[in-house]
């Protein structure tokens, strides 16, 4: 790895800038709504076992590999792999392409949080109650039912009927109950069309919020890692404060115990399913974010002697503990909502964005000082999203600057250009069919593609460049290491991690036959 003479790159200015940026990048929205949903659909606490196994044999080794590699070379993914082996240049561009696609729709979530945070100042909260034009006959509000019963009426299909009217309808069939927050999210906020083929019009208020989200990202990254490194001191730590407050409040709610027991009581039979192991492997890439290019980008600004091994272990442990803790917070609240809607815990939770933008708004509407809780929660989502978006954006910007070093003196113009392109590319997600496009990108943009990139990365480092040679490079940065250290990481990078990734990638639908056979032998 010979050095080239390049114009000066930026660097981290504070001792903990890199560590907090890395923590903020790894701990994001996936910890709040993706991880709990996977626990829900894969046997509750049983999912914690394959998730931990995958973190140890796949997530942590890939993170340590990427941090060490980028720190040693001091370049981002666009030029790093060309320096390592000219034929491997496509791996870096594949990472940049993945980060670029995720960057487009990830900022849409930030736009959603901007909207919800703004409307949280209204009195009452706009999603309270069913007496709105956007509410359907399935909308159900406990507050309105109590008011109706107080007047000796009967609450049916979001309306308060007299007993005579109720009997004349012969309303013996119970209609499906949907909380007002869900109706608000789909019918008013998204104005969702019937399908992806019905694009419809651009939602103007969402387009404005998306513009605001890109302006925030641009301002935070305009000075590169010198500015984003300071912002993460707040954005990386604030979510823990809100999660702790919500957890304490959630424990006092009726039904919270049932939700938590659903979370911690494992369904051991699920461990024999291939799906749970495949989901755990994919979730590792959403948790620690290897093979996206972001880890390489962040580490490329490190000092040569920074202890990236320590950083990788700290972030990996922090990430898994945050996921576990977020599961307790969310399942306590889900248990409360199940109690309120008089239904089972397994029928309350929704995956993806629905969990954050339906379940939590419904919760805060029932708490004391609902506007304060709503603002705090959506501000927490904003900080979680910004941390990850900073690195996704920085990955693309760094790729441009490393490919064209002369542009480093015009960093602000490059960031502005990428932001404009990102905004225009994200407009498809704020149409009436935007949610369908969002789910399409979320499922395929950075799912199995990152597994393939990670496999190629392991082959490159472990076999082509040489794991033994790479360990020597690490010792140049971190000092002499023990024989155990050398043998362990050489074995992991050359055999264990690529083998696990291969059997995971073996099946295109997330049910890898290799993992199925393996876990059946073990369990």
């Amino acid at each position: 790895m010979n050095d080239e003479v390049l114009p000066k790159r930026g660097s981290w200015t504070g001792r903990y800038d890199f560590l907090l940026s890395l923590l903020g990048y790894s701990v994001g929205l996936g910890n709040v709504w993706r991880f709990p949903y996977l626990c829900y659909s894969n046997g509750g606490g049983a999912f914690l076992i394959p998730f931990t196994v995958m973190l140890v044999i796949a997530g942590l080794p890939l993170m340590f590999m990427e941090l060490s590699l980028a720190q040693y070379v001091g370049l981002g993914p666009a030029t790093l792999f060309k320096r390592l082996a000219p034929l491997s240049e496509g791996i870096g561009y594949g990472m940049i392409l993945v980060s670029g696609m995720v960057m487009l729709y990830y900022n849409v979530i930030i736009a959603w949080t901007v909207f919800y945070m703004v409307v949280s100042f209204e009195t009452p909260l706009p999603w309270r109650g069913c007496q709105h034009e956007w509410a359907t006959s399935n909308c159900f509000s406990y507050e309105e039912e109590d008011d109706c019963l107080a007047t000796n009426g009967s609450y049916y299909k979001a309306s308060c009927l007299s007993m005579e009217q109720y009997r004349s309808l012969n309303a013996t069939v119970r209609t499906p109950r949907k909380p007002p927050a869900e109706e608000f999210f789909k019918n008013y906020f998204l104005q969702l069309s019937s399908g992806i083929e019905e694009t419809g019009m651009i939602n103007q208020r969402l387009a404005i919020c998306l513009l605001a989200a890109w302006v925030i990202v641009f301002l935070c990254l305009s000075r590169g890692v010198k500015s984003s490194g300071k912002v993460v001191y707040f954005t990386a730590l604030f979510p823990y404060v809100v999660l702790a407050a919500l957890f304490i409040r959630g424990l006092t709610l009726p039904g919270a115990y049932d939700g938590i027991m659903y979370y911690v009581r494992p369904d051991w039979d699920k461990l024999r399913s291939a799906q749970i192991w495949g989901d755990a492997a994919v979730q590792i890439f959403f948790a620690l974010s290897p093979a996206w290019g972001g880890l390489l980008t962040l580490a490329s600004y490190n000092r040569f002697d920074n202890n990236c091994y320590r950083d990788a272990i700290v972030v990996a442990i922090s990430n898994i503990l945050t996921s576990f803790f977020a599961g307790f917070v969310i399942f306590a609240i889900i248990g409360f909502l199940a109690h309120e809607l008089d239904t089972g815990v397994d029928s309350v939770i929704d995956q993806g964005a629905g969990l954050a933008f339906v379940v939590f708004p419904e919760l805060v509407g029932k708490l004391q000082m609902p506007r304060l809780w709503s603002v705090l929660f959506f501000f927490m989502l904003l900080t979680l999203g910004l941390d990850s978006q900073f690195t996704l954006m920085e990955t693309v910007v760094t790729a441009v600057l490393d490919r064209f070093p002369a542009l480093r003196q015009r960093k602000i113009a490059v960031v502005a250009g990428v932001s404009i392109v990102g905004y225009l590319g994200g407009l498809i997600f704020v149409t009436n069919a935007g949610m369908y496009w969002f789910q399409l990108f979320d499922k395929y943009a950075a799912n199995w593609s990152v597994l393939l990139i990670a496999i190629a990365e392991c082959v490159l480092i472990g076999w082509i460049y040489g794991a033994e040679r790479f360990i020597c490079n690490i010792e140049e940065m971190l000092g002499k290491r023990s024989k155990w250290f050398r043998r362990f990481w050489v074995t992991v990078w050359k055999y264990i991690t690529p083998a696990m990734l291969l059997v995971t990638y073996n099946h295109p639908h997330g049910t890898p036959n290799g993992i199925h056979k393996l876990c059946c032998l073990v369990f």
Side-chain angles (χ1 to χ4, degrees):
M1 300 181 186
N2 298 322
D3 292 333
E4 294 179 1
V5 178
L6 295 173
K8 186 177 180 181
R9 299 173 93 244
S11 61
W12 302 107
T13 56
R15 181 179 179 183
Y16 299 106
D17 289 8
F18 168 70
L19 181 59
L20 287 176
S21 294
L22 188 61
L23 182 63
Y25 177 49
S26 298
V27 179
L29 291 172
N31 298 85
V32 176
W33 49 259
R34 185 177 175 88
F35 177 83
Y37 169 73
L38 291 175
C39 287
Y40 157 76
S41 60
N42 287 290
F47 182 75
L48 304 180
I49 296 176
F51 180 74
T52 304
V53 171
M54 289 297 177
L55 181 138
V56 173
I57 64 178
L60 179 58
L62 287 171
M63 170 177 271
F64 179 40
M65 176 196 293
E66 292 194 357
L67 295 182
S68 303
L69 180 61
Q71 180 173 305
Y72 186 81
V73 181
L75 294 172
T79 53
L80 183 153
F81 289 98
K82 183 179 180 180
R83 176 78 62 87
L84 193 65
L87 291 179
S88 68
E89 186 177 7
I91 297 177
Y93 286 110
M95 292 179 174
I96 297 166
L97 181 61
V98 168
S99 291
M101 289 190 295
V102 174
M103 177 187 73
L104 294 181
Y105 78 86
Y106 206 89
N107 220 30
V108 175
I109 305 179
I110 298 177
W112 293 353
T113 62
V114 169
F115 175 83
Y116 267 80
M117 193 166 61
V118 171
V119 300
S120 294
F121 289 96
E122 297 183 8
T123 304
L125 293 174
W127 53 83
R128 294 289 298 274
C130 295
Q131 305 306 314
H132 303 278
E133 295 181 357
W134 43 260
T136 68
S137 58
N138 291 328
C139 184
F140 179 83
S141 170
Y142 257 101
E143 292 87 350
E144 293 177 354
E145 183 186 49
D146 291 340
D147 293 340
C148 183
L149 294 177
T151 59
N152 296 323
S154 182
Y155 191 77
Y156 180 68
K157 290 189 175 183
S159 300
C160 186
L161 306 177
S162 64
M163 295 305 298
E164 292 76 11
Q165 291 174 317
Y166 183 77
R167 293 191 188 96
S168 66
L169 290 174
N170 193 24
T172 58
V173 180
R174 180 180 176 181
T175 60
R177 291 179 172 182
K178 292 187 177 181
E182 180 178 351
E183 303 259 296
F184 175 84
F185 179 68
K186 293 181 178 180
N187 301 334
Y188 176 79
F189 177 58
L190 296 181
Q191 299 179 1
L192 201 59
S193 65
S194 59
I196 194 171
E197 69 281 354
E198 186 181 337
T199 303
M201 304 293 292
I202 291 178
N203 189 321
Q204 293 184 3
R205 58 174 170 265
L206 289 186
I208 295 174
C209 291
L210 182 62
L211 178 62
W214 277 109
V215 170
I216 293 173
V217 173
F218 166 75
L219 293 176
C220 292
L221 293 180
S222 58
R223 294 182 57 203
V225 294
K226 291 183 179 180
S227 57
S228 63
K230 301 307 178 185
V231 174
V232 295
Y233 275 84
F234 176 77
T235 58
L237 299 177
F238 177 74
Y240 292 101
V241 177
V242 178
L243 283 176
L246 288 174
F247 178 62
I248 294 172
R249 183 65 182 94
L251 290 178
T252 64
L253 299 173
Y257 176 80
D258 294 333
I260 292 176
M261 292 307 299
Y262 185 91
Y263 175 54
V264 301
R265 187 182 293 127
D267 182 358
W268 299 111
D269 290 338
K270 288 283 188 177
L271 293 177
R272 295 180 175 272
S273 169
Q275 184 68 41
I276 189 173
W277 294 89
D279 285 346
V282 173
Q283 176 60 16
I284 283 299
F285 285 87
F286 279 90
L288 299 182
S289 305
W292 291 44
L295 299 178
L296 294 170
T297 300
L298 293 176
S300 69
Y301 296 103
N302 271 343
R303 301 188 320 271
F304 185 77
D305 60 348
N306 177 68
N307 193 340
C308 54
Y309 179 56
R310 175 203 59 200
D311 293 340
I313 293 177
V314 168
V315 172
I317 294 176
S318 299
N319 192 291
I320 195 170
L321 291 179
T322 301
S323 296
F324 292 172
F325 180 62
F328 279 101
V329 177
I330 288 174
F331 274 89
I333 297 172
I334 290 172
F336 164 66
L337 291 180
H339 174 79
E340 286 285 286
L341 296 175
D342 191 22
T343 186
V345 174
D346 56 352
S347 62
V348 174
I349 190 171
D350 191 12
Q351 69 169 333
L355 180 60
F357 293 92
V358 172
V359 174
F360 275 102
E362 188 66 22
L363 166 71
V364 297
K366 295 178 172 63
L367 300 178
Q368 294 180 350
M369 299 184 296
R371 289 187 295 167
L372 175 62
W373 282 105
S374 184
V375 171
L376 286 177
F377 173 74
F378 287 110
F379 188 63
M380 180 194 74
L381 287 188
L382 179 65
T383 58
L384 286 173
L386 283 176
D387 283 334
S388 299
Q389 182 67 8
F390 288 162
T391 306
L392 292 170
M393 178 79 163
E394 191 67 47
T395 300
V396 177
V397 171
T398 299
V400 175
L401 298 181
D402 283 347
R403 185 66 181 83
F404 305 100
L407 293 177
R408 288 176 184 168
Q409 298 178 351
R410 307 183 62 184
K411 175 71 177 284
I412 295 180
V414 175
V415 175
V418 174
S419 299
I420 292 172
V421 173
Y423 174 71
L424 295 176
L427 288 177
I428 186 65
F429 302 108
V430 296
T431 61
N432 297 128
M435 189 60 171
Y436 303 113
W437 284 102
F438 179 94
Q439 293 172 334
L440 184 68
F441 270 64
D442 186 46
K443 185 172 181 61
Y444 295 106
N447 199 322
W448 301 108
S449 56
V450 294
L451 283 176
L452 184 60
I453 292 173
I455 292 172
E457 198 175 17
C458 286
V459 172
L460 174 64
I461 297 297
W463 296 94
I464 298 177
Y465 183 77
E468 295 83 358
R469 182 183 175 189
F470 186 53
I471 288 291
C472 293
N473 298 145
I474 293 175
E475 288 182 332
E476 290 180 44
M477 298 184 294
L478 306 183
K480 197 68 176 177
R481 296 285 156 164
S482 65
K483 291 183 179 180
W484 177 89
F485 179 92
R486 297 170 62 91
R487 291 174 181 174
F488 175 80
W489 287 110
V490 167
T491 302
V492 168
W493 286 332
K494 292 184 71 172
Y495 304 105
I496 298 178
T497 299
M500 182 56 67
L501 294 176
L502 280 171
V503 295
T504 303
Y505 192 78
N506 185 43
H507 197 285
H509 302 295
T511 54
N513 296 327
I515 292 181
H516 194 186
K517 296 175 182 178
L518 176 63
C519 66
C520 284
L521 288 174
V522 176
F523 296 98

